[in-house]
Amino acid sequence: MNRRDFLQSTVAGAAIVGTKQGVAAAPLPPLAPDALAGHTKLTEITIDGTRWAVWEDLRDADGAISFASPTGGLSLAKRTEPMFATADPPHLGLQMRDIALADADLLADRLLAGGGDPDPDRVRDAAPPSGSQFDADKIGARLPWTTFVGTRQAEDTMPVFRNGRTRTYRPEHRFPELSGDDIALHRREGLLGGWLPAVHKVIPREGGGHWDLLVFADTDADNRFIVETWHRTLHVEDGRIVAADYGHSYAPYPPRRAHPTPEAFYTALFRFARAWQAELVPGVTVSLPDAEWADMANHAFAKELIVRPGGTWPKYGAVDRDYYGSEYDGFQDTFTSSLYANLLWGRFAQARAVLDQYFTDFVFPDGLVDMRGPETGQYGLTLALIARYLRLTGDAATIGKHRDKIRATATLLADLHDASLKLPATDRGHGLIHGWSESDACLHPDPTLWWKPYWANSAFAVRGWREIAGIWVGIGGSAADAADWTDRAHRLQQRLEQGIRANIRRDLKPAYIGPLPGVDETFRQALSHGKRSEQGWPHRAYAELLQAGVLPPDLEALVIDCVRGHGGTTLGVVANVGAPNAESRDILGFISYGYAEALLRQDRIEEYLLFLYSHRFHAHTRGSWVAGEVSGITGDLALFCIPAQLTIPKLLRWMLAYEDADADRLHLARAVPTRWILSGKSIAIADAPTRWGPCGFSMRQVAADRIEATVQMPPRSPRETLLRVRLPSGRAIHRITIDGKTAAAPRGSDIPLPASGRPERRITIDLV
């Protein structure tokens, strides 16, 4: 159906069946009897023969929009966050110069002082919101957009600016007061329905009341590149609409193009919501005391579908040539971050599409990728994720289809390993895999400066070989290949550990280990000379080294302490490390999740939660949740990239359900905040995929001295399943019963769950 027919049919109240992708959303249950109390009826629409009344709670700027019919209801909640600094003074009272130049992470130290979990509100207020205090005249050639909308089917996205305008529609045409971005500096911003990609803005009016703006992409549009958009602008005072404007994509051109009617807008909104609900039917479901965390995960996956043309073709960024240009499409991080996140959340169809598309279009027969500068460590991560994909999905057909290219990837690393073994035994890189760590290395006049034996290259090769060898024969691969990769992984891990131990500088506090062997200076010292250094991009090298998870615990802890103690973190998140600068200290929004995973393995849970909170509040814009590749802590405007957006889903999943890579052990609720445990609200995850099968748990405090939990055991029980109950200081576990029988005392805060044939275990935890 073309656009004109659609608009005419919605004005007439005609029905349009299904969604653009042809996937039916779940049936809608009726609204609660009192759900519409105090709400204002806006209009009525007819969809698929059913009459729907449209209501909105105008008493509150965050009041829901609801659709009610005799057979069901749809309520779209609102939740906005201030897009302006709320703390005075900023930075917890510290001076920016001191924060920026210190080797220690002063903000993290202060937020973690005193022990216990960090306070998320205090973390939020530790710096101004990303994108809140930038000067549009000082951001170069970029457009000053702060969020964007789109659809799966469109091959582009539409930027949305601070005052709600897009590149094709301006609300100030009807309301001149909204002209310019200065009017919106003290706005609140959010997403309709909690996570739907519909931007909601609340802008206070100088004369009282507020402007309420909604912008979303038309899920029924079928233009290949053009993103058609719907707009609603309301002037609201004292719980009533004073004036309203509805728009679709372009300014009116009378008499052919007029403003759409409210009925057309709300019909499109209903269809938009149902289309996205059908798109994101989850494999994993969660219920948390703070609902925005699950919403962030859902929104991240929605944004991925928006950014990827057709939902599958990779794009690193959006809108701007950097990073939407085709030269970025084969970026390994886009592939690995997507495959990993979708696997963790049981989104197997999307994982399969991403894997198949990448190996079909971006991996050459010799294992190289169609991208300017291959990142050596990412080859190992790719192999590990392929093995994980097969273990979780059983989809041997897709893996078999690309078996030759997968083998070429593994043998490419073997060739690099062989080259290193030919070096003299006295060479610092003997036996360690050489190659670029960072893709940007190839853009410099002499990229050989970074063709070096970074520890991370070898660590990820060990992990990749170990994992791919474990599944290789089962998909028809050669037993000789599997044996060779297993042997290489063993030898390379020994060389890696030996090399790191030989290069530790214990004269520094904390002890220092460089990103590669044989360095004399710390990475900050090396980068302060104003010239290129082989220690460039150390944030990637450390994050990948830790993510591989192949170091013994003492070395892993030493690397974490080194990164945090020598200028490598900001607010507890891996920093974007460069030459020390008195005016800035940036957060690395993407690839840094490897550091967080190591914190979890090390049981440094308070630091893990600080990473989670800081990433949520400072690597994302507030409300509309646009994740920046690199984000400052002074309110500047970051460049969006999708790998950064897919970080929160990983951290949230690991918080709730985490499987040890090299032990037959499953952790449940390992990093759940203590404030959630004693909130009286449900904490639950269901159908989380693991190599033993789907698992989950639910936990809730039912009385002051009692917590009850139910665990969904995986079909093939691991040797150890541990349910953690993290309690604040002063509370302890007194007694545990499992399936009605008194259980052994917990191991710290971990409750061991004995393997049995029962698919469900019921646990009661009595507290003192």
Side-chain angles (χ1 to χ4, degrees):
M1 175 177 286
N2 63 40
R3 294 305 316 144
R4 185 176 300 161
D5 289 344
F6 172 67
L7 288 174
Q8 289 173 347
S9 68
T10 55
V11 171
I16 301 175
V17 181
T19 68
K20 183 66 183 178
Q21 290 73 41
V23 178
L28 292 170
L31 298 176
D34 61 346
L36 302 177
H39 294 205
T40 300
K41 186 176 180 180
L42 303 179
T43 189
E44 291 189 357
I45 58 177
T46 300
I47 298 178
D48 202 14
T50 300
R51 195 71 174 166
W52 296 82
V54 185
W55 299 78
E56 186 164 3
D57 185 359
L58 297 170
R59 300 167 299 177
D60 183 346
D62 283 351
I65 298 175
S66 298
F67 298 82
S69 78
T71 58
L74 173 65
S75 185
L76 302 177
K78 299 176 191 165
R79 179 182 56 242
T80 55
E81 300 179 68
M83 275 297 295
F84 50 90
T86 55
D88 187 20
H91 304 124
L92 306 177
L94 297 171
Q95 297 300 308
M96 190 62 214
R97 178 183 179 84
D98 295 335
I99 294 168
L101 296 180
D103 281 346
D105 187 345
L106 300 183
L107 291 171
D109 290 348
R110 186 160 291 194
L111 289 165
L112 293 169
D117 291 353
D119 179 349
D121 290 343
R122 197 158 178 254
V123 177
R124 177 198 62 206
D125 291 340
S130 178
S132 65
Q133 297 182 12
F134 68 93
D135 186 337
D137 294 327
K138 296 180 180 178
I139 59 173
R142 286 191 60 195
L143 294 170
W145 60 273
T146 54
T147 187
F148 60 91
V149 295
T151 64
R152 170 197 276 271
Q153 64 268 25
E155 297 191 15
D156 204 347
T157 52
M158 178 61 73
V160 182
F161 298 81
R162 284 180 283 192
N163 73 340
R165 72 186 186 278
T166 66
R167 294 286 284 168
T168 60
Y169 191 87
R170 286 179 172 264
E172 59 263 43
H173 287 171
R174 286 283 290 267
F175 300 112
E177 184 180 340
L178 285 169
S179 181
D181 283 342
D182 287 351
I183 188 69
L185 296 181
H186 285 83
R187 73 193 182 281
R188 297 178 64 89
E189 198 155 308
L191 300 164
L192 192 63
W195 61 268
L196 300 173
V199 178
H200 176 218
K201 295 173 181 279
V202 177
I203 302 174
R205 296 184 74 254
E206 187 174 337
H210 64 271
W211 299 104
D212 187 289
L213 298 97
L214 279 176
V215 184
F216 62 93
D218 189 336
T219 51
D220 284 295
D222 51 13
N223 288 310
R224 182 178 175 186
F225 292 104
I226 296 172
V227 178
E228 300 186 27
T229 51
W230 285 96
H231 303 257
R232 186 191 78 169
T233 307
L234 303 181
H235 169 191
V236 180
E237 289 191 26
D238 299 324
R240 62 185 180 88
I241 297 173
V242 176
D245 174 56
Y246 298 91
H248 183 270
S249 297
Y250 309 119
Y253 190 93
R256 295 289 189 270
R257 178 186 294 140
H259 283 281
T261 65
E263 290 77 14
F265 175 86
Y266 292 111
T267 299
L269 179 61
F270 183 94
R271 292 179 54 76
F272 160 88
R274 296 296 281 156
W276 277 106
Q277 289 170 349
E279 284 281 11
L280 261 71
V281 175
V284 176
T285 56
V286 297
S287 175
L288 302 173
D290 294 337
E292 64 263 27
W293 290 104
D295 285 342
M296 284 196 86
N298 279 330
H299 184 68
F301 292 120
K303 256 204 175 78
E304 181 185 33
L305 295 178
I306 287 172
V307 169
R308 288 177 173 265
T312 55
W313 186 271
K315 287 290 179 182
Y316 183 59
V319 181
D320 300 305
R321 190 67 175 81
D322 280 343
Y323 296 134
Y324 197 70
S326 59
E327 69 271 21
Y328 293 94
D329 291 357
F331 196 35
Q332 291 156 289
D333 297 280
T334 305
F335 167 66
T336 55
S337 66
S338 172
L339 184 58
Y340 204 170
N342 280 287
L343 285 175
L344 285 172
W345 282 82
R347 292 175 49 79
F348 294 154
Q350 179 69 4
R352 180 175 59 253
V354 166
L355 191 158
D356 185 48
Q357 187 278 330
Y358 191 77
F359 266 80
T360 297
D361 295 318
F362 288 95
V363 179
F364 295 120
D366 63 1
L368 287 176
V369 295
D370 194 1
M371 174 64 185
R372 61 186 187 214
E375 295 161 339
T376 309
Q378 291 292 307
Y379 281 117
L381 177 57
T382 293
L383 294 174
L385 289 175
I386 288 170
R388 180 184 287 261
Y389 174 85
L390 182 63
R391 291 189 177 106
L392 294 183
T393 68
D395 179 16
T398 299
I399 301 303
K401 174 183 176 182
H402 301 294
R403 185 171 55 229
D404 290 347
K405 289 183 177 181
I406 294 169
R407 183 181 184 276
T409 302
T411 56
L412 184 156
L413 292 173
D415 290 344
L416 293 173
H417 187 216
D418 287 341
S420 74
L421 291 169
K422 294 177 182 177
L423 296 172
T426 55
D427 190 289
R428 64 172 176 166
H430 174 79
L432 296 170
I433 290 181
H434 293 56
W436 295 318
S437 168
E438 167 60 46
S439 179
D440 288 348
C442 73
L443 297 179
H444 290 266
D446 181 13
T448 61
L449 175 62
W450 296 284
W451 193 268
K452 296 290 170 63
Y454 296 101
W455 306 120
N457 294 346
S458 295
F460 257 145
V462 169
R463 174 58 64 195
W465 280 332
R466 182 185 296 169
E467 299 299 331
I468 204 69
I471 60 102
W472 193 242
V473 175
I475 60 167
S478 161
D481 281 341
D484 178 58
W485 298 333
T486 299
D487 177 65
R488 286 182 185 274
H490 176 70
R491 286 187 289 141
L492 185 54
Q493 183 171 19
Q494 288 185 321
R495 174 67 182 98
L496 177 67
E497 181 179 346
Q498 176 269 327
I500 290 178
R501 292 195 188 280
N503 280 271
I504 298 171
R505 287 192 57 184
R506 299 197 182 273
D507 58 311
L508 299 177
K509 299 297 179 184
Y512 181 79
I513 177 69
L516 73 166
V519 297
D520 297 322
E521 298 179 298
T522 68
F523 52 80
R524 277 192 125 194
Q525 291 169 342
L527 295 172
S528 67
H529 302 311
K531 59 182 181 180
R532 298 181 179 96
S533 164
E534 65 181 6
Q535 292 197 66
W537 306 287
H539 36 266
R540 175 184 287 276
Y542 285 116
E544 291 185 342
L545 171 60
L546 290 169
Q547 184 182 342
V550 300
L551 298 181
D554 66 313
L555 287 187
E556 186 172 74
L558 184 147
V559 173
I560 292 171
D561 292 340
C562 165
V563 174
R564 179 173 164 184
H566 290 282
T569 68
T570 302
L571 276 166
V573 181
V574 176
N576 187 60
V577 180
N581 180 329
E583 297 180 354
S584 66
R585 182 157 177 156
D586 296 340
I587 288 173
L588 189 70
F590 84 126
I591 71 173
S592 55
Y593 60 88
Y595 176 87
E597 186 176 3
L599 292 174
L600 189 68
R601 276 196 303 268
Q602 288 282 318
D603 239 4
R604 296 166 71 152
I605 304 303
E606 291 81 7
E607 292 174 78
Y608 182 84
L609 290 173
L610 176 60
F611 186 110
L612 177 71
Y613 297 156
S614 292
H615 202 285
R616 181 252 194 266
F617 288 116
H618 302 294
H620 293 72
T621 59
R622 304 282 170 87
S624 56
W625 296 335
V626 179
E629 178 194 56
V630 174
S631 302
I633 57 171
T634 58
D636 59 346
L637 186 63
L639 266 170
F640 161 80
C641 79
I642 194 62
Q645 195 82 50
L646 292 171
T647 295
I648 290 293
K650 299 184 187 76
L651 301 182
L652 186 60
R653 163 59 206 272
W654 292 336
M655 168 205 283
L656 299 169
Y658 182 78
E659 53 186 301
D660 281 356
D662 297 315
D664 199 14
R665 184 183 302 118
L666 171 65
H667 297 270
L668 299 175
R670 190 175 191 180
V672 169
T674 58
R675 64 191 184 87
W676 286 2
I677 298 290
L678 300 183
S679 68
K681 298 179 180 179
S682 175
I683 307 160
I685 182 171
D687 297 321
T690 72
R691 63 184 185 269
W692 307 285
C695 72
F697 73 89
S698 63
M699 181 190 305
R700 188 170 71 88
Q701 182 187 30
V702 296
D705 58 354
R706 174 164 291 186
I707 293 170
E708 292 182 353
T710 301
V711 173
Q712 172 196 359
M713 299 291 286
R716 303 177 301 280
S717 293
R719 181 170 298 175
E720 282 188 289
T721 300
L722 302 174
L723 175 68
R724 177 165 294 185
V725 181
R726 298 184 66 247
L727 297 171
S729 177
R731 302 302 303 269
I733 297 174
H734 171 60
R735 182 175 58 249
I736 300 167
T737 60
I738 300 177
D739 297 330
K741 298 179 181 179
T742 301
R747 192 183 310 163
S749 56
D750 286 328
I751 300 172
L753 301 178
S756 75
R758 297 183 180 181
E760 187 174 274
R761 316 307 302 271
R762 296 185 179 276
I763 303 104
T764 300
I765 304 110
D766 293 317
L767 308 178
V768 292

